[in-house]
Amino acid sequence: QSALTQPRSVSGSPGQSVTISCTGTSSDIGGYNYVSWYQQHPGKVPKLMIYDVNKRPSGVPDRFSGSKSGNTASLTISGLQAEDEADYYCCSYAGTNTFEVFGGGTKLTVL
Amino acid sequence: QVQLQESGPGLVKASETLSLTCTVSGYSISSGYYWGWIRQPPGKGLECIGSIYQSGTTNYSPSLKSRVTISVDTSKNQFSLKLNSVTAADTAVYYCARRRTAVFDFWGQGTMVTVSS
């Protein structure tokens, strides 16, 4: 069982927006502004999409955005494209004993 | 561009020690950042194993701490993972990555390690 809870799957049609939630506790998501999101296509290496809750690395389209409210972080993908179909994982800092924890992953299907 | 490459045996016998090395190019480990290990069992999610700073300071996942050792060799620009007393549950793709707080920005290609009985 993962430390952070994500929906197993979400879906959307091309051009639509989808939001993936990531729920933790006050000991991780709620306690720090250190949340990141990773995209992983089948058989590929995870790719950093969002860090520090809402920052995008260079090269990541601005269709990807992150936010946080209380113990829940969210990744929103607007203007869905076929290539966005992948697994998405959230990650949060959880203090000096646990360090980082990941969510169980969400499979995004573009219909 | 920072590049990382894992190396080590792809098959380990149960109860023995898994040993992997990550070679970093395009960036000197001595320049900073933590350097970490993450694993992904087949069909499952990502799990942090631990990480190390250039100075040798380490941090480990509480669930694996009793079996894990991460070390660094700055002269070779490499860091290594040892996981002892392995079982089938340790079968996974093992990734090395550059880490700062909750950010893994550069990853290796991953190496599949199977624990055999």
Side-chain angles (χ1 to χ4, degrees), chain A residues 34 36 38 40 44-46 48 51-52 89 91-93 97-100 102, chain B residues 40 44-46 48 59-60 62 95 99-105 107-109:
Chain A
Y34 292 122
S36 54
Y38 300 84
Q40 187 179 35
K44 300 298 185 181
V45 178
L48 176 67
Y51 67 98
D52 294 354
Y89 293 90
C91 175
S92 174
Y93 183 66
N97 286 326
T98 306
F99 300 96
E100 283 85 21
F102 281 97
Chain B
Q40 186 172 33
K44 296 187 178 181
L46 301 167
C48 286
N59 53 68
Y60 300 130
Y95 295 100
R99 170 199 171 252
R100 65 168 179 83
T101 307
V103 179
F104 299 93
D105 55 358
W107 296 62
Q109 287 301 304

Side-chain angles (χ1 to χ4, degrees), chain B residues 46-62:
Chain B
L46 301 167
E47 178 185 21
C48 286
I49 299 172
S51 60
I52 190 165
Y53 194 63
Q54 55 165 346
S55 62
T57 299
T58 54
N59 53 68
Y60 300 130
S61 164

Side-chain angles (χ1 to χ4, degrees), chain A residues 52-75:
Chain A
D52 294 354
V53 177
N54 56 16
K55 297 181 173 62
R56 277 179 291 106
S58 174
V60 172
D62 59 7
R63 302 185 294 105
F64 291 83
S65 62
S67 62
K68 189 188 88 165
S69 178
N71 297 337
T72 298
S74 299
L75 173 71

Side-chain angles (χ1 to χ4, degrees), chain B residues 4 7 14 18 22 24-26 28-29 33 35 43-44 52 62 70-71 75 77-78 86 88 93 96-97 106 113 116:
Chain B
L4 298 92
S7 59
L18 178 160
C22 182
V24 180
S25 59
S28 172
I29 285 180
Y33 282 92
W35 302 87
K44 296 187 178 181
I52 190 165
I70 297 176
S71 58
S75 68
N77 222 35
Q78 294 176 334
V86 297
V93 175
C96 59
F106 291 96
V113 179
S116 67

